[in-house]
Amino acid sequence: MGILCDDVVQIRPPEAAGDPTVIAINCPDKIGLGCDLCRVILSFSLNIVRGDASTDGKWCYVVFWVVGRGGKLTRWGLLKKRLLGVCPSVLQQYQYWPQEMMVMDQKPQVFLLKFCCFDRNGLLHDITKVLCELELTILKVKVSTTPDGRVMDLFFITDTRDLLHTRKRKEEACDKLKSILGDSMTSCELEPMSGEITACLQASPFLPPEISEEMFNLELPQVETDGSHYKSYVPTVTVDNSLSPGHSLIQILCQDHKGLLYDIMRTLKDYNIQLSYGRFYTTQKGRCEIDLFVVQMDGKKILDNSKKKALCDRLRMEMYKPLRVTVVNRGPDTELFVANPVELSGKGRPLVFHDITLALKMLHARIFLAEIGRHVVTDREWEVYRILLGDDESSEVYNKIVEGVTKMLMGWE
């Protein structure tokens, strides 16, 4: 016997104004399920303020208390559908399927969206917002602006609904862009991506040495500091093997940020650590307390000191700098660099490009070129966003770029 979809994911609205919405998930377990659930919730611009999870290794029960950000309306029905999409089915739990088949994701078809229009302030964010609302995931982007104010945009995208090969879905995408851009849009084309086009538009395989040094060779400070842009709390991570006969207890104290629980679960998934019981709580002052009872893939505690240190160091860095933001002056121009780690499964962080372009729109910064690419740095794959800003910006705007983009990405706006 199976269970109804309505029983797998339940969403309970707030009991009073200002209270969080409660999402309860009851389904078979799998390695990395917590990461996948948190990734979906983050993609809907929701913040998890509290969480509880328990599993016996075969079946799990997870509860999230979530609140919206920025007054954005949440499509709860669609969220429920997307959460169901990452939950293993009962059939997978009770029939013998190889583990690799249960966790393997089918790669979606990649399409090239190409359109031309006239430039204006906030154009790139408005386009990105439309694509997010249509559930079109941006894998790569190539944006260029000509001296006469024309923009040529090339987006490599995939469709969460897997319908972009149909005429109806293509027309929906182009019509939605047309409704936002109006008569300024001169053309819009959607076609399956070919290998030849991909080869011509790959991001630069090299990063400037000063960028690699500044962004990726970071060291954690040892004490709490007051940063120039925001107050920065150094996170603490400990592993205790004395409190449970069968589990290691990971305790984390840190400052809250957008996607915090996703960053923790992503790290555990990359290290093949399985969560048995977890509790997550955020205080009104933005401090987070997390207790996680975990085991390794072999079902044993984390006893090796080198493994414990590597895991703690990685978690601390993910709490301290989950995204890297820097600006480089290039003569009259300024180039913005933003980098975030990619999951071992190949998935990038949701809504990064959306938040970058929104911050730049609010700063009235003019985007001349934009590029998304992936680079392997220090044995990790990173998604790197390079944005060349126009030469007509003031120095005052330049001084606020890193602060504005960082606050938007971290949810401190």
Side-chain angles (χ1 to χ4, degrees):
M1 293 180 61
I3 60 176
L4 298 175
C5 289
D6 286 343
D7 295 327
V8 174
V9 178
Q10 296 182 329
I11 299 178
R12 187 169 70 243
E15 295 181 355
D19 288 350
T21 298
V22 181
I23 303 174
I25 298 148
N26 183 25
C27 70
D29 198 9
K30 69 173 183 179
I31 296 293
L33 177 60
C35 171
D36 297 341
L37 294 173
C38 291
R39 189 181 194 281
V40 171
I41 292 172
L42 176 59
S43 69
F44 278 76
S45 298
L46 295 172
N47 185 39
I48 300 173
V49 295
R50 180 183 167 192
D52 283 289
S54 61
T55 177
D56 60 3
K58 295 182 178 180
W59 201 274
C60 69
Y61 184 68
V62 185
V63 182
F64 296 114
W65 286 259
V66 302
V67 294
R69 288 183 177 274
K72 181 179 178 181
L73 295 177
T74 301
R75 294 178 286 180
W76 296 106
L78 184 58
L79 171 62
K80 181 174 182 177
K81 184 177 180 180
R82 296 295 168 246
L83 290 171
L84 282 168
V86 300
C87 292
S89 70
V90 179
L91 183 65
Q92 290 174 327
Q93 175 67 18
Y94 291 104
Q95 289 190 3
Y96 176 74
W97 284 21
Q99 182 69 17
E100 60 269 19
M101 291 182 64
M102 293 177 63
V103 300
M104 181 177 60
D105 294 324
Q106 183 179 359
K107 290 186 178 181
Q109 171 67 52
V110 180
F111 287 80
L112 174 62
L113 169 63
K114 178 172 61 176
F115 62 93
C116 300
C117 61
F118 291 98
D119 195 15
R120 60 174 170 80
N121 179 52
L123 172 65
L124 190 55
H125 172 71
D126 295 342
I127 296 169
T128 303
K129 182 179 179 181
V130 168
L131 297 181
C132 291
E133 291 174 350
L134 290 169
E135 292 193 288
L136 299 174
T137 303
I138 302 171
L139 301 180
K140 296 180 184 293
V141 63
K142 187 76 172 181
V143 177
S144 57
T145 306
T146 62
D148 63 354
R150 294 178 182 269
V151 177
M152 167 66 78
D153 290 343
L154 301 172
F155 287 87
F156 291 90
I157 58 177
T158 59
D159 186 7
T160 303
R161 304 175 193 175
D162 197 23
L163 294 172
L164 205 51
H165 60 281
T166 65
R167 179 178 177 180
K168 180 179 180 181
R169 181 68 163 153
K170 290 180 180 178
E171 290 178 348
E172 178 189 15
C174 288
D175 289 346
K176 185 69 173 178
L177 288 168
K178 179 71 173 178
S179 68
I180 296 297
L181 302 177
D183 295 335
S184 67
M185 188 174 76
T186 57
S187 67
C188 180
E189 301 176 18
L190 257 170
E191 58 187 28
M193 189 189 72
S194 66
E196 292 79 6
I197 296 178
T198 307
C200 293
L201 294 175
Q202 287 290 340
S204 171
F206 303 105
L207 290 174
E210 65 271 20
I211 295 300
S212 298
E213 180 68 25
E214 181 177 350
M215 296 185 72
F216 303 110
N217 296 330
L218 297 180
E219 293 184 2
L220 284 165
Q222 300 301 314
V223 295
E224 292 189 358
T225 60
D226 288 330
S228 58
H229 304 303
Y230 50 84
K231 192 171 183 180
S232 174
Y233 296 93
V234 180
T236 62
V237 181
T238 59
V239 177
D240 191 335
N241 285 308
S242 65
L243 296 179
S244 170
H247 298 84
S248 295
L249 170 61
I250 300 176
Q251 294 182 301
I252 302 173
L253 296 174
C254 62
Q255 184 182 17
D256 191 19
H257 67 251
K258 184 189 300 184
L260 170 62
L261 200 54
Y262 165 73
D263 290 322
I264 296 173
M265 294 296 107
R266 169 175 54 80
T267 303
L268 296 183
K269 181 180 180 181
D270 287 350
Y271 273 78
N272 289 319
I273 301 296
Q274 185 170 3
L275 176 68
S276 297
Y277 172 77
R279 180 188 68 87
F280 171 90
Y281 180 75
T282 304
T283 68
Q284 291 184 348
K285 294 183 178 180
R287 295 289 281 170
C288 295
E289 301 176 5
I290 304 106
D291 294 325
L292 307 171
F293 287 87
V294 302
V295 293
Q296 300 180 101
M297 281 285 288
D298 57 8
K300 298 179 180 179
K301 293 183 178 183
I302 310 171
L303 297 174
D304 185 271
N305 288 330
S306 61
K307 290 182 179 179
K308 285 195 295 185
K309 184 179 185 306
L311 177 61
C312 289
D313 288 348
R314 175 63 63 83
L315 282 170
R316 288 180 66 207
M317 184 57 74
E318 295 300 331
M319 302 305 97
Y320 181 64
K321 289 286 185 181
L323 300 109
R324 316 291 169 84
V325 183
T326 191
V327 165
V328 175
N329 289 322
R330 300 192 179 281
D333 301 322
T334 293
E335 190 167 12
L336 170 68
F337 288 81
V338 178
N340 63 267
V342 177
E343 296 177 30
L344 290 183
S345 63
K347 295 180 179 179
R349 188 185 189 90
L351 298 180
V352 175
F353 196 58
H354 173 278
D355 290 345
I356 294 172
T357 54
L358 176 56
L360 294 176
K361 178 180 180 179
M362 294 173 63
L363 291 169
H364 303 287
R366 180 170 175 265
I367 299 174
F368 186 69
L369 291 171
E371 182 182 83
I372 302 176
R374 293 195 173 186
H375 305 263
V376 177
V377 183
T378 60
D379 298 326
R380 297 183 69 187
E381 186 177 19
W382 295 78
E383 204 161 45
V384 180
Y385 301 78
R386 303 180 63 165
I387 299 177
L388 183 65
L389 303 176
D391 58 2
D392 57 349
E393 308 297 342
S394 66
S395 58
E396 182 180 355
V397 171
Y398 287 156
N399 294 334
K400 294 181 179 179
I401 289 174
V402 171
E403 178 182 1
V405 172
T406 299
K407 286 185 175 181
M408 184 66 67
L409 289 169
M410 299 292 279
W412 298 335
E413 72 281 3

